[in-house]
């Protein structure tokens, strides 16, 4: 995670490998990269890309891709 003036950027990666003696599960991986910026009057905006490779209930691997955006407001007290 880093910031530069009103800009911010984050990269997160996680790997989950579960070992079992029977019915082994596929390795799960999650990745997220986001950029954001503070705007005027306490507003901020972020855009992120998320990728997931996860274990389904039937033991196979599923995949998911998403683009996420967020508009936030933080009031200063």
């Amino acid at each position: 995670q880093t910031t530069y003036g009103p800009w911010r950027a984050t990269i997160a990666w996680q790997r989950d490998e579960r070992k079992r003696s029977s019915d082994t599960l596929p390795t799960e991986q999650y990745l997220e990269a986001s950029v954001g910026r503070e705007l005027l009057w306490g507003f901020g905006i972020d855009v992120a890309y998320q990728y997931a490779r996860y274990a389904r209930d039937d033991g196979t691997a599923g995949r998911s891709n998403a683009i996420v955006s967020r508009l936030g407001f933080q009031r200063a007290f």
Side-chain angles (χ1 to χ4, degrees):
Q1 181 176 20
T2 188
T3 59
Y4 182 76
W7 292 93
R8 60 183 167 267
T10 303
I11 296 177
W13 177 67
Q14 177 182 333
R15 181 181 171 115
D16 186 12
E17 189 172 1
R18 291 180 247 161
K19 302 266 189 202
R20 299 191 303 195
S21 58
S22 65
D23 296 330
T24 59
L25 294 172
T27 300
E28 296 181 328
Q29 297 184 58
Y30 304 93
L31 171 69
E32 180 175 327
S34 68
V35 293
R37 178 178 166 79
E38 292 300 319
L39 303 173
L40 300 174
W41 306 296
F43 286 95
I45 190 164
D46 294 275
V47 177
Y49 168 74
Q50 298 173 337
Y51 168 80
R53 182 178 184 270
Y54 56 92
R56 293 183 181 172
D57 291 336
D58 63 2
T60 62
R63 293 191 178 166
S64 171
N65 291 283
I67 295 177
V68 181
S69 63
R70 179 188 73 88
L71 176 63
F73 175 74
Q74 183 175 356
R75 191 170 90 182
F77 290 99

